[in-house]
Amino acid sequence: MARLEIHNLSVGVGSRRILSDIELSIGEGRVFVLFGPNGSGKSTLLKAIMGISGYDILSGEIIFEDRVINGLSVDERARLGISMMFQHPPGVRGVKLSQVARILCEDEEKINKYVQLLNLGYLFDRDLNVDFSGGEMKRVELLQIILMQPKLILLDEPESGVDIENISIMGRVLDEYLRESGASCFVITHTGYIIEYIEATDGCLMLDGNLYCVGNPHKLFETIRDYGYEKCKECTVRHAE
Amino acid sequence: MRSEAQKNILDSLPKEDLLSSGVDLSEKGRAATFVQVDERPSLFRSMFQGIELIPTEEALNRYPQYKKFFGMAFTAVGEDFPRDTQGGFFLVIKKGAKVTLPVQVCLFLKKKSFSQKVHNIILVEEGAQAYVINGCASDKAATDAFHLGISEYIVMRNGYLNFTMIHSWNDSMVVRPKSIAVVEEGGTFVSNYVSLKPVKEVVMYPTCVLKGRKARASFSSIILGHKGCLQDVGSRVILAAPDTSAEIVSRTVSMGGKIIARGHLYAKTPGVRAHLECQGLIVSEQGTIHAIPELQTDYRDVDLSHEAAIGKISKEEIEYLASRGIEEKVARSLIIRGFMDTDILGLPDELREQIEELKERLTEQAM
Ligand SMILES: Nc1ncnc2c1ncn2[C@@H]1O[C@H](COP(=O)(O)OP(=O)(O)OP(=O)(O)O)[C@@H](O)[C@H]1O
Ligand SMILES: [Mg+2]
C-alpha cells in the first residue's frame, strides 16, 4: 500500500460540500504537485488530511501507512509523521519560536544548522508568527517541518510571498530533506517555482472540488499555463476516455 | 554564624517550597536574610553594611529614631491598622547605599490553624537602592491557617525600592496583606506580585502614595487562579504631587478560580500621568475574572488611561501547535505561561528562571 491513500473522500465546511469523491495515492518518496484555481479546494484537501477542525469528512477514508486516520486528532496525525505548512499560520503570542523548536527537536546543533540555513537567527527569540512578514512565516513553517522529521509533508503554496533568494534557499533545504529521508510530499503551487528545486514526480489538478488527472507535473503545469485550467481538464477527460 | 537552634529551625523548612517563593536558604547571592516561622523571627542577618534587617519589635526598642515610621504610611492615607501583630521585619537601606543583590525575607507558616500577624517596615533612605524578595509560603500541614501582613514602605528622596512578593501558600490558607507605600521626591517604587500556587483566599489592595515631585510607581502582578480559590487583588496609586507617574499592569489567568483584578489610579494634583492595564485569560468554564479598572481625578490637566481585556485561548493557536505534534495540554500550558509574561516584572535573572520553572510545573499539572 502507498504511504497515503485517499478513497472516495468528500469534505464539507459548515453545510457546504467542498470536495467530492477524491481518489489519491501517494507512494513513499513521491512528490505530488497540486494545481488548481483559487477556491477550488486545494487547501481544504490538505487540511482534511491534517485533521483541521471545521473540515468535516462526509464520506470516504484517509489512510496513512495502512491505518485509517479519519478519527485521529491533529496532534496524533502529526506524531504519526504528517506535517503541514499553513497558508496563514496564526500568531502565537507569548510562545517563542525557540521554545517550539526545542520541543520539536532535542538536537541543539541541528536546530542551529537549520536556523542558520534558513536565515532565521533574528526571529528565533520572537513570539511565533507574531508580526512576521509573509516570507518569514514560510521559512519558519519550513523550519518547524524539517525539525519534526515527518514522513509526509503537506505544503500549501510554500513560495508565496517569499523573495527569489529565499525561495532558492527553501527549495534546497526541502530537496535535501526529501532525498535523505525518503519522505513523501504533497505540494500546492500556483507559480511552479518550488518544483524547480524539488523533484516533482506527479501532478494533479483540482477543479471545483474534484481531482483530475495524475500525470507528469511539468507537462501539466505547461498545459495549464498555455491553455488554462478548463482546457487542461478537457484534455485529461478526453485522455481518460 | 547560625546558632544550633537556628540551624534546627531552618533545616526543618521545606527548601524546595521556599525556593519557589524566591527564598534561598543557602543565602547564595543574597544581601540579607530574614526568616520568620509562625510567630517567631528565626533568622535575620545582613551581609552588607548599608543594610539593617531585624525584627520590627527589636528595631523599635533599640532605635528610638525609627519609632516615628511605625504607622506613618497608614497615617498618610488616613487609615488605621491592627496592632495585635507579632514579629515582622524592619529593613533599612541606609542613605546612599546601592545594593544590587536581593534582600530576602521569608514569612513561613508551619502550625495548623495558626494566625500569623506581622508588621513589616521598609525604609529606603535618601538615594539608596534595594531589591527585596518577599517569599510567603506555608507547610502542607499548616491547614486552615491565616496570614495578616501589615507592611509600610517608605522611599525617601531619590530612593529606589524594587519589591517582589511571591505567594506560595497552600489551598486552605486565608491571606490578608495590607501594604502602603509612600514615595518622596524623585523616588521610585516598583512592586511585583506573583501568585501561582493554589490559595483559598487572598484579598489585598496595596496602595502607593506618590508624595514628592517626580516620584514614580510601577505595579505588576501575575496571578494564576486555581479551582476553588478566590483572589481579590488590586493595586492603587495616589498621585499626590506634580510630575509623578505610575503604571499598573496585571496578567490574570483563571483555571477555575475566581479572580477580581482591581486597579485604581487617583490624580490628586494636576500634571500627572498614569496608565493601567488589566489582561485576563479564562482557561476553564468554571473560572471567572472580574476586572475593575478605576480612574479618578480632581483636575483636568492629567493624563490617565486604562486598557482591560479578557479572553480565552484561541482554538486556532492550539490546533496550530497540535499540527506540530504538541499535545493539547502542553500547547495550552505554553500559551498560558507566555501570557503570564515574567518580562513585565523587573526580576533578577535567577529568580526569573525559578518562576519560569514553577509556571511550567503548575500549569501542566492543572491541565
Ligand atoms: N473555514 C472555511 N469556512 C468557510 N468556507 C471555507 C472555509 N475553508 C474553505 N472554504 C471555502 O471552500 C472553498 C475552497 O477553499 P480552499 O481554501 O480549499 O481553496 P484553494 O483551492 O486552496 O484556493 P487558493 O488557491 O485561493 O488558496 C472556497 O470557496 C472557500 O471559500
Ligand atoms: Mg489555498
Side-chain angles (χ1 to χ4, degrees), chain B residues 97-147:
Chain B
K98 298 212 187 299
V99 187
T100 46
L101 291 180
V103 173
Q104 59 180 359
V105 296
C106 170
L107 300 169
F108 191 80
L109 262 155
K110 231 177 142 181
K111 275 198 232 92
K112 185 176 158 52
S113 307
F114 186 74
S115 286
Q116 183 181 58
K117 300 179 177 179
V118 297
H119 194 130
N120 309 313
I121 295 175
I122 299 178
L123 191 59
V124 176
E125 293 187 348
E126 203 175 313
Q129 175 192 317
Y131 292 81
V132 178
I133 297 167
N134 180 6
C136 299
S138 55
D139 204 276
K140 282 176 204 71
T143 49
D144 304 310
F146 174 79
H147 170 88

Side-chain angles (χ1 to χ4, degrees), chain B residues 36-52:
Chain B
Q36 174 163 345
V37 179
D38 295 332
E39 74 278 23
R40 268 191 49 189
S42 320
L43 168 77
F44 45 92
R45 62 165 174 187
S46 162
M47 276 73 86
F48 268 78
Q49 274 210 325
I51 299 177
E52 182 94 52

Side-chain angles (χ1 to χ4, degrees), chain A residues 42-44 87 156-157 188:
Chain A
K42 303 181 298 298
S43 296
T44 300
Q87 197 177 9
D156 201 338
E157 298 185 31
I188 299 173

Side-chain angles (χ1 to χ4, degrees), chain B residues 21-291:
Chain B
S21 69
V23 175
D24 187 343
L25 291 183
S26 77
E27 299 185 80
K28 200 178 67 196
R30 300 291 195 254
T33 300
F34 176 98
V35 178
Q36 174 163 345
V37 179
D38 295 332
E39 74 278 23
R40 268 191 49 189
S42 320
L43 168 77
F44 45 92
R45 62 165 174 187
S46 162
M47 276 73 86
F48 268 78
Q49 274 210 325
I51 299 177
E52 182 94 52
L53 180 56
I54 54 178
T56 301
E57 282 112 351
E58 196 175 321
L60 298 177
N61 288 334
R62 213 197 292 176
Y63 305 109
Q65 74 267 32
Y66 290 146
K67 274 224 167 72
K68 66 174 183 206
F69 295 105
F70 189 83
M72 185 194 245
F74 282 85
T75 311
V77 295
E79 275 182 38
D80 201 13
F81 59 93
R83 317 273 160 160
D84 59 339
T85 49
Q86 269 184 310
F89 61 88
F90 195 101
L91 169 66
V92 183
I93 314 295
K94 300 277 170 61
K95 186 171 169 177
K98 298 212 187 299
V99 187
T100 46
L101 291 180
V103 173
Q104 59 180 359
V105 296
C106 170
L107 300 169
F108 191 80
L109 262 155
K110 231 177 142 181
K111 275 198 232 92
K112 185 176 158 52
S113 307
F114 186 74
S115 286
Q116 183 181 58
K117 300 179 177 179
V118 297
H119 194 130
N120 309 313
I121 295 175
I122 299 178
L123 191 59
V124 176
E125 293 187 348
E126 203 175 313
Q129 175 192 317
Y131 292 81
V132 178
I133 297 167
N134 180 6
C136 299
S138 55
D139 204 276
K140 282 176 204 71
T143 49
D144 304 310
F146 174 79
H147 170 88
L148 170 75
I150 306 294
S151 298
E152 304 188 73
Y153 314 124
I154 312 283
V155 180
M156 296 182 159
R157 267 191 81 214
N158 298 326
Y160 176 94
L161 175 59
N162 182 306
F163 181 84
T164 300
M165 178 148 77
I166 302 177
H167 274 177
S168 207
W169 302 112
N170 67 45
D171 59 7
S172 66
M173 282 279 313
V174 172
V175 183
R176 292 278 183 282
K178 287 188 195 306
S179 315
I180 315 267
V182 176
V183 186
E184 295 181 355
E185 184 174 339
T188 301
F189 178 56
V190 177
S191 167
N192 298 312
Y193 175 61
V194 178
S195 175
L196 298 173
K197 282 204 190 166
V199 57
K200 186 174 171 196
E201 196 181 301
V202 177
V203 179
M204 66 184 212
Y205 212 150
T207 296
C208 177
V209 186
L210 299 175
K211 212 176 88 176
R213 276 194 65 228
K214 292 198 169 162
R216 277 187 339 110
S218 158
F219 281 89
S220 311
S221 317
I222 292 178
I223 297 167
L224 184 59
H226 298 258
K227 199 159 171 258
C229 303
L230 166 69
Q231 283 147 303
D232 183 344
V233 176
S235 309
R236 172 184 290 127
V237 180
I238 299 171
L239 300 107
D243 299 323
T244 53
S245 59
E247 189 184 35
I248 297 174
V249 179
S250 72
R251 298 261 197 289
T252 56
V253 176
S254 175
M255 300 201 300
K258 176 170 179 159
I259 298 176
I260 304 174
R262 299 175 193 272
H264 184 195
L265 293 169
Y266 183 11
K268 276 199 163 175
T269 180
V272 301
R273 192 161 43 84
H275 182 69
L276 169 58
E277 182 189 314
C278 305
Q279 286 196 41
L281 189 65
I282 294 261
V283 178
S284 147
E285 286 296 341
Q286 286 111 51
T288 66
I289 296 179
H290 186 174

Side-chain angles (χ1 to χ4, degrees), chain A residues 13-14 16 18-19 36-45 47 53-55 87-88 156-157 188 190 206:
Chain A
V13 174
R16 195 178 141 204
I18 309 284
L19 301 178
N38 295 140
S40 56
K42 303 181 298 298
S43 296
T44 300
L45 178 55
K47 288 175 187 166
S53 58
Y55 296 82
Q87 197 177 9
H88 306 287
D156 201 338
E157 298 185 31
I188 299 173
H190 288 295
M206 178 81 81

Side-chain angles (χ1 to χ4, degrees), chain A residues 34 42-43 46 155-159 186-190 194:
Chain A
L34 178 55
K42 303 181 298 298
S43 296
L46 261 52
L155 298 174
D156 201 338
E157 298 185 31
E159 71 272 73
F186 196 18
V187 51
I188 299 173
T189 181
H190 288 295
I194 193 70

